[in-house]
Amino acid sequence: MKKKALLTVGLSFMIIFSANSVKAGEWKSNKVGSWYEEKDGSYPTSTWKEISNKWYYFDKSGFRLTNVWVGNYYLGKDGAMLVNTTTPDGYKVDENGKWIEERQAMWKKNDTGWWYEEKDGSYPTSTWKEIKGKWYYFDSRGYCVMNTWIGNYYLGSSGAMLVNTTTPDGYRVDENGKWIDNKVVNQKDIISLYGRNLTQEQIDFTDNAAKKIAKEIIKPNMTDREKAREITKWIFANTIKDHRQSTEIYKKTHADTAWAVFSKGRAACSGYVRAFKLLGKYAGLKVKIVNEDLWQHQWNTVYLQDEGKWIDCDSQSRTCDGSEITPKEFGIPTYKIDDERLVDAPFPQIGNPYEDFVEEYNSGHWVYKFSLSDIKAALESHKKWRKFEWLHNVGDRESFDESMIK
């Protein structure tokens, strides 16, 4: 907001006493500027003067000022004070030429963050707003959102939407700030999606496999959450954990790559997360890798655009946003005892089958709660799930023993 110093001799004072100082004279000019010469040859300096019902200000050399503020008054291109209008720089002046002080829209800050206060004291909430040619997003409380995605747009450290650049987490945005979907832009992106030490033929195979699988498992009208869960389920069901981990081993097995998932069905967690990110790409999801390239457990985080938040997905432990993929989702029904009935259960809850399926010893023989066919179906399903889970969680087919799941 423009602040203007008051003159020692104010214009209002000059208006009151102007009648005592008005004398006939004439305007004169040279290469420097214009001045007003009185009838006696003198000229006004460092003062206001009313001439032909218009007010002018003259500097210490006597030259008329133009296109400038003097205190709270603006002098136009001919030097005359503007009245009852808007100045070229956007300020209003009243019928006496005085600046009308108005509340201006401005940024404000407290310990929580920044917000933008409008002229009327209101502020934007849960919306985008363009300010001086840059776009910002304000949350439900009115604070400017920073360093995060809002839909397909990224807000930088100042809160302004990034345009025509790469975001801090490695995604490209176009000249309008929108995420450029399905574009691999550099070697870093290639490694993050496919993995290291792969031939172009392996990369092409992996890419084509991911496209095909995404087309098969991602259905129209799926929510982003449903897409993330379906990808988690597919990778767990089709991949066995490879425990052999070292830089040299990876050069031979490629277990840290998406290629290992799609071609061999056996990978380390670093392969799982790359396969997830690649499938996410073709499902239209924004996906990151947690602990990428670190010798730590890795998983994915997925942005749910329709919910406006990030969730964690771990395809190696079959969890999505903290919820496990159930056996039933893999097509394996499991059962539990409920009020002496066999009912579907999210997870197996069958313990000792002889305790679960028979009554107490009665009159010299055991009394079954269920038919033998029901018991057999429940136990077979129970064993099928335990074997399925063992192979995909532990990942060692060679050491698997049926006795482990009885």
Side-chain angles (χ1 to χ4, degrees):
M1 185 178 291
K2 184 185 293 288
K3 292 185 177 179
K4 309 171 184 68
L6 295 177
L7 299 176
T8 304
V9 180
L11 179 59
S12 56
F13 179 87
M14 297 299 297
I15 293 173
I16 295 172
F17 294 98
S18 62
N20 297 326
S21 59
V22 175
K23 293 182 180 181
E26 60 180 335
W27 286 101
K28 292 190 174 183
S29 63
N30 59 19
K31 293 181 178 180
V32 177
S34 299
W35 71 95
Y36 189 77
E37 189 172 285
E38 305 286 3
K39 196 171 184 179
D40 61 2
S42 65
Y43 49 86
T45 60
S46 301
T47 189
W48 287 94
K49 183 174 179 64
E50 186 181 20
I51 303 170
S52 301
N53 297 320
K54 293 183 179 181
W55 282 94
Y56 300 85
Y57 188 83
F58 299 87
D59 66 17
K60 63 182 180 180
S61 299
F63 289 107
R64 176 185 63 187
L65 298 185
T66 61
N67 300 313
V68 70
W69 285 94
V70 176
N72 287 331
Y73 303 88
Y74 190 86
L75 303 171
K77 61 183 179 181
D78 62 353
M81 181 185 73
L82 300 188
V83 295
N84 200 29
T85 187
T86 300
T87 64
D89 51 357
Y91 294 89
K92 292 182 179 180
V93 291
D94 63 18
E95 64 276 8
N96 295 314
K98 188 175 182 179
W99 167 48
I100 301 172
E101 185 173 357
E102 292 182 307
R103 187 186 187 107
Q104 300 294 314
M106 65 181 69
W107 285 99
K108 290 193 171 183
K109 183 179 185 294
N110 61 17
D111 291 340
T112 303
W114 289 88
W115 73 97
Y116 191 75
E117 190 171 277
E118 305 285 6
K119 288 182 179 181
D120 61 2
S122 65
Y123 49 87
T125 59
S126 302
T127 189
W128 288 93
K129 184 175 178 63
E130 186 179 17
I131 302 171
K132 295 183 178 179
K134 295 182 179 181
W135 283 95
Y136 300 84
Y137 188 84
F138 297 87
D139 66 18
S140 59
R141 297 179 299 166
Y143 287 107
C144 180
V145 178
M146 304 175 182
N147 299 314
T148 191
W149 287 93
I150 297 295
N152 285 331
Y153 303 88
Y154 191 87
L155 302 170
S157 58
S158 69
M161 181 184 73
L162 300 189
V163 296
N164 201 28
T165 188
T166 301
T167 63
D169 52 357
Y171 293 90
R172 290 285 302 172
V173 290
D174 64 18
E175 65 277 7
N176 297 312
K178 189 174 182 180
W179 168 44
I180 303 173
D181 192 8
N182 297 343
K183 298 275 182 79
V184 178
V185 296
N186 55 42
Q187 185 64 25
K188 181 180 178 181
D189 292 333
I190 292 173
I191 291 173
S192 184
L193 282 169
Y194 304 99
R196 290 182 171 82
N197 303 313
L198 294 176
T199 65
Q200 188 59 50
E201 183 179 358
Q202 289 172 316
I203 290 174
D204 291 342
F205 169 86
T206 304
D207 197 59
N208 290 330
K211 286 179 184 177
K212 180 181 178 182
I213 292 163
K215 187 176 181 180
E216 291 173 354
I217 67 175
I218 303 302
K219 307 302 180 185
N221 302 321
M222 270 187 172
T223 65
D224 289 346
R225 180 180 292 274
E226 289 169 338
K227 291 177 183 179
R229 193 171 182 88
E230 196 65 28
I231 292 171
T232 302
K233 184 175 78 173
W234 187 92
I235 295 176
F236 181 85
N238 290 277
T239 314
I240 291 174
K241 186 186 297 183
D242 194 331
H243 295 277
R244 300 166 297 170
Q245 299 181 15
S246 75
T247 302
E248 292 305 312
I249 288 175
Y250 284 166
K251 288 179 181 179
K252 298 176 182 178
T253 65
H254 301 296
D256 60 337
T257 69
W259 176 83
V261 171
F262 296 118
S263 69
K264 301 170 67 176
R266 187 171 191 145
C269 63
S270 46
Y272 280 69
V273 293
R274 287 185 166 107
F276 191 110
K277 188 172 182 179
L278 190 57
L279 286 171
K281 168 187 169 183
Y282 290 117
L285 296 175
K286 192 179 284 95
V287 181
K288 299 179 186 178
I289 297 174
V290 180
N291 294 330
E292 186 170 8
D293 291 330
L294 298 179
W295 287 99
Q296 300 176 20
H297 181 60
Q298 298 177 25
W299 65 94
N300 297 99
T301 180
V302 183
Y303 184 72
L304 307 181
Q305 183 174 337
D306 45 6
E307 296 184 33
K309 69 175 187 178
W310 291 89
I311 63 169
D312 289 335
C313 292
D314 191 335
S315 52
Q316 195 172 69
S317 62
R318 62 178 170 80
T319 59
C320 190
D321 198 20
S323 172
E324 291 184 305
I325 311 294
T326 67
K328 194 170 184 178
E329 290 179 81
F330 292 103
I332 304 175
T334 54
Y335 304 92
K336 69 175 181 177
I337 306 299
D338 181 31
D339 191 26
E340 297 190 353
R341 295 181 300 119
L342 274 176
V343 297
D344 286 336
F347 295 98
Q349 298 184 31
I350 298 174
N352 186 323
Y354 295 104
E355 293 177 1
D356 287 336
F357 293 118
V358 299
E359 296 285 4
E360 294 291 333
Y361 186 77
N362 184 21
S363 302
H365 63 278
W366 291 101
V367 179
Y368 286 97
K369 293 180 180 179
F370 310 102
S371 69
L372 289 177
S373 60
D374 285 340
I375 295 172
K376 183 177 180 181
L379 290 177
E380 287 301 317
S381 178
H382 177 79
K383 290 171 65 177
K384 183 178 180 181
W385 169 250
R386 288 303 186 199
K387 181 175 182 179
F388 179 87
E389 186 179 41
W390 172 277
L391 292 176
H392 292 83
N393 264 340
V394 179
D396 189 353
R397 285 194 176 101
E398 291 74 19
S399 64
F400 179 75
D401 188 327
E402 293 286 343
S403 65
M404 296 176 179
I405 58 172
K406 289 181 180 180

